Amino acid sequence: MSQEFNTKIHSVCQVKLPVGEILNIRKNRLMPSDQNHKEKKRIGIVTGIHGDELEGQYVCYEVIRRIREHPEFLTGIVDVYPAMNPMGIDSVTRGIPGFDLDMNRIFPGSRDGAMTEYVAHEIIEDLAGADLIVDIHASNIYLTEIPQIRINELHKDFLVPLAHYMNVDFVWVHASNTVLESTLAYSLNSTGTPALVVEAGVGMRITKRYCIQLADGLMNIMRVLGIWQGEVGAVRKPLIEDRADGVVFFNAPSAGIFIPSAEHWTTLERGDKVGELIDPLTGEVLSEILTPERGILFTIREYPVVDEGSLVGRLLIR
């Protein structure tokens, strides 16, 4: 290992559990060993808040691998948090097992609160003050998402310019009335620590090509921030959508089996078929789902069994 490179596993917080075990949330800090860390730029790569979203696991590995391969190019601090919800990852559970809680609904937490609130508070304290936090999510097991960044309009002025460097295909700016104030990203952004929320792939698996794409984006933005001096490849110019009516949601009109007819991340014309609902008992096509406008299909149903109202796709109008 180069003398210019230092890596150390830190404990963000530890909490004793009733079963005699310890909940331990850890990070890996990578930085040049010969420089004052208080003067260096810092990025935090966060994933694993939802235990069934695993795409970020490979992204963390890939970023660390690249830094270890060329430590001489590291000029700032990279904090990697691969498992913010380690019990959820271990048990393949979206929320925090035993508490029936979505971890991304309890921030900023409280030092004097219940165990989960205390953990959330300690995470915020550890992340605060970074030059950028990238919170990586996957979709759930039902939907596949193209690599994208989601931003609420309250913070778009300083986040959208950063999102351009992240090598994603799409940046979706949400209306402020849809923002959940208890999320990690909102808590950080509202207190002055920039945080981008990335979503890509599907739950409970790793889509390697998406992970490599996101790792490329992270190396690129680290170079922009002055954290990395190595060569980086060209990044994609994302599509930006901030119109309230710029996205069409496709919902199943009835229960059935959804069979997609269109490829993910392709342009569809008005009247093209997104998919159809079939009845395997009668052999009938129950309904066809057609596009009302020309656009790009950026979400598609992965799990075929649907109920009435289930989301089966999203179209970015173009």
Side-chain angles (χ1 to χ4, degrees):
M1 184 179 293
S2 168
Q3 293 182 354
E4 299 177 355
F5 173 70
N6 182 36
T7 177
K8 184 177 180 181
I9 307 297
H10 296 259
S11 179
V12 176
C13 71
Q14 294 186 21
V15 178
K16 291 183 178 180
L17 300 174
V19 293
E21 296 182 346
I22 296 176
L23 170 64
N24 187 12
I25 298 176
R26 299 182 298 170
K27 72 176 181 183
N28 187 356
R29 168 162 286 187
L30 304 98
M31 62 178 292
S33 58
D34 60 345
Q35 303 201 32
N36 186 345
H37 73 276
K38 293 182 179 180
E39 300 175 356
K40 306 310 295 178
K41 296 283 187 176
R42 175 165 64 102
I43 187 172
I45 303 170
V46 172
T47 191
I49 286 179
H50 293 136
D52 61 350
E53 298 179 0
L54 305 177
E55 306 280 9
Q57 302 298 299
Y58 193 84
V59 177
C60 291
Y61 158 80
E62 182 63 17
V63 169
I64 295 172
R65 184 194 68 79
R66 296 183 190 190
I67 295 173
R68 293 177 68 92
E69 194 171 80
H70 292 287
E72 67 274 15
F73 296 137
L74 186 64
T75 54
I77 300 171
V78 181
D79 283 336
V80 181
Y81 305 75
M84 284 300 199
N85 178 10
M87 293 194 299
I89 291 176
D90 289 346
S91 60
V92 200
T93 304
R94 183 172 181 81
I96 302 175
F99 295 90
D100 195 28
L101 282 175
D102 184 333
M103 189 176 191
N104 211 26
R105 301 294 182 270
I106 58 175
F107 292 101
S110 169
R111 183 185 296 275
D112 300 319
M115 186 271 275
T116 52
E117 294 177 294
Y118 170 76
V119 169
H121 174 271
E122 293 299 292
I123 289 171
I124 290 287
E125 288 292 301
D126 201 77
L127 295 172
D131 295 277
L132 179 65
I133 300 298
V134 180
D135 181 16
I136 301 173
H137 292 259
S139 185
N140 53 39
I141 64 171
Y142 303 104
L143 302 165
T144 298
E145 299 281 4
I146 208 71
Q148 62 195 265
I149 287 176
R150 298 184 179 181
I151 295 171
N152 75 68
E153 65 179 8
L154 298 175
H155 306 129
K156 68 178 182 180
D157 290 344
F158 63 92
L159 290 182
V160 170
L162 290 170
H164 277 87
Y165 298 111
M166 278 294 298
N167 200 35
V168 294
D169 297 290
F170 173 43
V171 176
W172 189 1
V173 180
H174 283 269
S176 59
N177 60 3
T178 66
V179 174
L180 294 171
E181 297 185 4
S182 54
T183 63
L184 174 66
Y186 182 91
S187 297
L188 289 169
N189 283 318
S190 61
T191 54
T193 299
L196 293 171
V197 177
V198 178
E199 186 158 336
V202 65
M204 294 190 182
R205 70 185 68 178
I206 288 174
T207 311
K208 189 174 180 179
R209 68 183 186 279
Y210 289 166
C211 295
I212 295 296
Q213 180 179 339
L214 295 180
D216 289 344
L218 283 164
M219 302 308 292
N220 184 65
I221 202 165
M222 284 162 53
R223 184 176 174 87
V224 171
L225 293 172
I227 295 171
W228 179 253
Q229 293 185 337
E231 292 297 319
V232 295
V235 296
R236 306 162 194 236
K237 182 179 180 181
L239 297 173
I240 309 291
E241 183 53 70
D242 58 4
R243 299 170 297 172
D245 58 352
V247 173
V248 174
F249 292 74
F250 299 112
N251 298 96
S254 65
I257 302 296
F258 175 72
I259 306 297
S261 303
E263 293 292 327
H264 196 208
W265 199 234
T266 56
T267 299
L268 303 179
E269 302 296 333
R270 181 195 295 267
D272 282 351
K273 187 191 295 186
V274 175
E276 56 188 19
L277 290 179
I278 64 169
D279 186 336
L281 178 63
T282 65
E284 295 178 295
V285 175
L286 300 175
S287 60
E288 294 183 338
I289 298 173
L290 308 178
T291 60
E293 302 285 347
R294 183 180 189 274
I296 303 174
L297 188 67
F298 72 92
T299 303
I300 191 67
R301 184 80 179 187
E302 182 78 15
Y303 187 75
V305 179
V306 299
D307 295 319
E308 181 179 353
S310 294
L311 183 65
V312 297
R314 297 188 188 98
L315 187 79
L316 176 61
I317 296 176
R318 278 294 181 265

